[in-house]
């Protein structure tokens, strides 16, 4: 084997691809365009795209942070396809979402932090746990809920994890009682004019409502979207009409709003 052949088969970076890998993939795509590809094929494509000189300049420049917004976007597109019952679109969106996992894992492999196999191993081990973790592990469970999640999603995930280790309500009635308690506390702060305290109490009310939705198996995000999509006739909008022309204009716009 010549020095040139050796260089051709040597990755330029940890977890990277070689020129030979790229040639092999190109041949596979050209030879059987109708064939079914595997997870390993997708992983190899990502490695080639990320390898300098033989890959894609855009892909090689990306970082964990730069692709994070695309991950969030893909997650919403998955949820949208499910809501529309468009399973053909769902298949494509899940593929895009899977590619995000491959992308992060490839970058981590280059940084020698972890590999896709490590990700799969960790997920399998977590799902394969036979017993619910004891209550003393609740704190560590809750600490692992990502801070970057939208607040409603994070609140829902926190209540779900707490419920799994025994911290749950026996039925919906005590949750409603707790909601009434939080509403009373909010009204007290409202009457006192304490803005900061009002925000805290408002957050407490929202958290209880999320917990109630979780208990009743209602998706709060979906429920709110349904409300926003419904028409809002005049009689259903609790808005006090202003005597000013501007107030009337705003009121009339709200009354005809459809989302």
């Amino acid at each position: 084997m010549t020095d040139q052949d050796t260089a051709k088969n040597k990755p330029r970076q940890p977890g990277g691809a070689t020129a030979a890998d790229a040639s092999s993939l190109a041949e596979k795509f050209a030879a059987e365009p109708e064939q079914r590809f595997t997870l390993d094929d997708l992983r190899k494509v990502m490695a080639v795209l990320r390898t300098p000189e033989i890959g894609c300049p855009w892909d090689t420049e990306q970082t964990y942070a730069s692709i994070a917004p695309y991950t969030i976007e893909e997650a919403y597109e998955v949820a949208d396809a499910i809501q529309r019952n468009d399973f053909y679109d769902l298949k494509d969106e899940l593929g895009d979402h899977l590619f995000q996992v491959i992308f992060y894992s490839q970058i981590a492999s280059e940084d020698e932090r972890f590999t896709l196999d490590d990700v799969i191993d960790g997920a399998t081990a977590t799902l394969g746990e036979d017993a619910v973790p004891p209550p003393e592990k609740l704190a560590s469970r809750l600490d692992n809920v990502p801070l970057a999640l939208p607040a409603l999603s994070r609140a829902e995930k926190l209540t779900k994890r707490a419920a799994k280790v025994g911290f749950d309500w026996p039925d919906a009635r005590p949750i409603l009682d707790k909601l009434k308690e939080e509403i009373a506390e909010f009204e007290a702060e409202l009457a006192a004019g304490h803005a900061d305290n009002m925000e805290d109490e408002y957050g407490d009310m929202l958290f209880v409502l999320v917990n109630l939705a979780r208990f009743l198996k209602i998706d709060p995000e979906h429920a709110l979207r349904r409300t926003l999509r419904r028409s809002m006739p005049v009689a259903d909008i609790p808005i006090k009409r202003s005597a000013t022309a501007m107030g009337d204009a705003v009121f009339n716009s709200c009354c005809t709003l459809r989302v």
Side-chain angles (χ1 to χ4, degrees):
M1 180 179 292
T2 66
D3 292 341
Q4 185 176 3
D5 291 333
T6 300
K8 183 179 180 182
N9 290 282
K10 182 179 179 181
R12 292 170 170 76
Q13 61 189 15
T18 65
D21 293 330
S23 297
S24 177
L25 275 175
E27 291 173 2
K28 187 172 184 179
F29 276 90
E32 302 177 58
E34 301 300 323
Q35 69 178 303
R36 293 178 65 86
F37 296 101
T38 66
L39 179 64
D40 191 53
D41 290 322
L42 182 58
R43 176 166 29 187
K44 289 177 180 177
V45 168
M46 185 73 257
V48 170
L49 290 174
R50 283 281 301 174
T51 300
E53 297 181 21
I54 63 172
C56 170
W58 185 88
D59 289 285
T60 59
E61 292 173 358
Q62 300 313 302
T63 65
Y64 304 105
S66 69
I67 61 176
Y70 298 102
T71 307
I72 297 171
E73 179 182 339
E74 295 299 345
Y76 278 118
E77 289 178 356
V78 167
D80 180 67
I82 293 171
Q83 195 167 27
R84 292 185 284 105
N85 288 320
D86 188 337
F87 295 101
Y88 181 83
D89 197 17
L90 176 60
K91 173 180 69 69
D92 289 342
E93 297 301 343
L94 287 173
D96 292 341
H97 208 51
L98 175 61
F99 189 69
Q100 297 292 309
V101 176
I102 302 288
F103 210 145
Y104 286 115
S105 299
Q106 176 61 32
I107 297 175
S109 178
E110 295 163 10
D111 293 343
E112 299 186 22
R113 297 176 184 273
F114 59 82
T115 66
L116 179 62
D117 288 338
D118 294 328
V119 173
I120 295 173
D121 177 69
T124 305
T126 299
L127 292 173
E129 293 178 357
D130 295 327
V132 175
E136 57 267 21
K137 290 188 177 180
L138 175 61
S140 61
R141 280 272 185 166
L142 300 185
D143 286 342
N144 291 330
V145 178
L147 292 171
L149 283 175
L152 279 179
S153 299
R154 188 164 190 267
E156 184 180 17
K157 191 173 286 289
L158 285 169
T159 60
K160 282 182 178 179
R161 292 198 179 185
K164 283 184 178 180
V165 292
F167 291 87
D168 202 5
W169 303 89
D171 55 66
R173 175 53 56 185
I175 308 179
L176 290 172
D177 292 338
K178 181 64 176 175
L179 178 60
K180 292 175 183 177
E181 176 187 325
E182 296 298 345
I183 291 174
E185 292 177 2
F186 176 80
E187 289 177 335
E189 298 299 342
L190 178 63
H194 297 154
D196 288 344
N197 292 346
M198 276 193 289
E199 184 175 356
D200 290 341
E201 297 300 339
Y202 187 82
D204 290 345
M205 288 191 299
L206 280 179
F207 189 75
V208 175
L209 281 170
V210 171
N211 207 357
L212 178 63
R214 188 269 316 164
F215 191 88
L216 297 175
K217 294 180 172 56
I218 296 173
D219 182 340
E221 178 72 20
H222 181 64
L224 183 56
R225 285 179 181 271
R226 287 185 60 177
T227 296
L228 293 175
R229 285 175 177 169
R230 291 199 300 266
S231 60
M232 296 188 290
V234 176
D236 291 343
I237 301 181
I239 300 177
K240 182 177 180 180
R241 299 194 64 169
S242 169
T244 66
M246 181 178 293
D248 286 341
V250 172
F251 178 82
N252 291 332
S253 296
C254 288
C255 293
T256 58
L257 176 64
R258 289 175 182 268
V259 178

